Amino acid sequence: MITLVRRVTAACALSAALTACAATPQPVRPASSAAPTAPSAPPTLAPGPGGLTPVFKNGSRRHGRTVALTFDADMTADQGTRAAAGEHFDNPGLIAALRALKVPATVFMTGRWAEQYPEQARSIGRDPLFEVANHSYSHYAFTDDCYGLPRVSGDRMRADVERAYAAFGRAGVPDARPYFRFPGGCYDRRALKALAPVGVTAVQWDVVSGDAFATDAEAVTRQVLEGVRPGSVVVMHCTRSAAPTTERVVRAVVPELRERGFRFVKVSELIGS
């Protein structure tokens, strides 16, 4: 908090026409009475044609060598029994690696994941290194034929996204971003229209890491390094059971991209630039 203090100084000079001058002191405002500076709103894109939800794929290719690593924390609404049986949909080792490497990142989280792992959701959401964005509540598809995912009906799309934000709030995530990633990356005009009232920017990607269900970390690393360009958005996953190589990939990719002069940023910085 910055306190502004006005100081008035009177310079007195004696002359034949002026015998004296005096300055009237101004009160100093205590620091505690200064109004706090309101945080700036996260940058978003303007609505698309017809007021549709805007879609962001990558940042500028001309504004420096920046790259955003994004991680989908996937868990569908019907996978609770699998989690109860011991399947791990989280990846604390990956988050620890990002912290150790000091890599800013955007985590696209499902509401169901936040309910399953509220302490991790809260820890990620309160860490300034990260930002939490919306990946739906259920991780059901918003179109037909989307990688075999169950489908959410058109009249429930908006409610599914809003339910995720409510789940983040209950988990203690203080400031979830107004960014949304469609499950599977699948969307159409109907989906973009359904989400327009929510005011989110849909975030896709231009680099597919290939970490989903991969077992060869070196192959995934090569795919990322070959695909990254200035302004790229890389899609990866924060799910041990479905993406077991991601931590190793991050530990290999980050120093190599830094050696090439890339700087890691959150999605919000790419959108804002």
Side-chain angles (χ1 to χ4, degrees):
M1 182 182 301
I2 299 174
T3 303
L4 299 180
V5 180
R6 298 183 56 194
R7 296 181 176 178
V8 176
T9 303
C12 298
L14 297 179
S15 68
L18 185 63
T19 59
C21 70
T24 303
Q26 299 297 308
V28 177
R29 177 184 294 174
S32 59
S33 68
T37 302
S40 58
T44 55
L45 297 183
L52 298 180
T53 297
V55 180
F56 179 79
K57 182 178 178 181
N58 58 265
S60 171
R61 305 298 190 191
R62 302 183 300 275
H63 293 169
R65 297 173 72 81
T66 55
V67 57
L69 299 186
T70 68
F71 299 89
D72 293 357
D74 295 343
M75 186 174 181
T76 61
D78 58 358
Q79 289 178 332
T81 55
R82 289 166 57 179
E87 185 169 348
H88 296 287
F89 297 93
D90 61 340
N91 195 338
L94 168 63
I95 299 301
L98 292 168
R99 285 172 169 150
L101 294 166
K102 296 180 173 57
V103 178
T106 303
V107 180
F108 286 88
M109 191 180 293
T110 68
R112 184 64 186 86
W113 194 98
E115 289 178 345
Q116 186 69 35
Y117 306 106
E119 292 183 1
Q120 293 187 53
R122 182 165 57 252
S123 175
I124 293 169
R126 294 182 178 181
D127 189 333
L129 194 64
F130 306 124
E131 61 186 4
V132 171
N134 196 312
H135 196 30
S136 81
Y137 174 82
S138 64
H139 201 251
Y140 287 3
F142 282 55
T143 66
D144 295 323
D145 301 321
C146 183
Y147 302 102
L149 291 172
R151 189 180 186 280
V152 62
S153 61
D155 62 344
R156 296 297 301 165
M157 292 178 182
R158 175 180 176 179
D160 194 73
V161 175
E162 292 174 336
R163 187 180 179 188
Y165 280 121
F168 301 155
R170 289 192 300 271
V173 175
D175 187 26
R177 306 280 88 176
Y179 310 135
F180 176 73
R181 175 164 286 166
F182 286 99
C186 304
Y187 68 92
D188 54 18
R189 182 181 177 85
R190 182 185 185 188
L192 295 177
K193 183 177 180 180
L195 298 190
V198 186
V200 294
T201 292
V203 177
Q204 295 291 96
W205 54 81
D206 65 324
V207 178
V208 178
S209 69
D211 68 335
F213 307 107
T215 56
D216 187 344
E218 292 185 1
V220 177
T221 299
R222 286 195 301 271
Q223 185 157 314
V224 172
L225 293 176
E226 290 171 1
V228 166
R229 299 169 60 194
S232 280
V233 176
V234 183
V235 59
M236 307 177 85
H237 293 81
C238 184
T239 312
R240 273 184 285 176
S241 61
T245 67
T246 310
E247 179 187 344
R248 282 178 285 161
V249 171
V250 164
R251 290 187 181 277
V253 162
V254 167
E256 176 61 28
L257 287 179
R258 281 177 170 158
E259 182 68 22
R260 298 181 185 182
F262 279 91
R263 180 173 64 91
F264 295 96
V265 299
K266 304 170 192 175
V267 164
S268 56
E269 182 169 335
L270 284 186
I271 293 177
S273 64

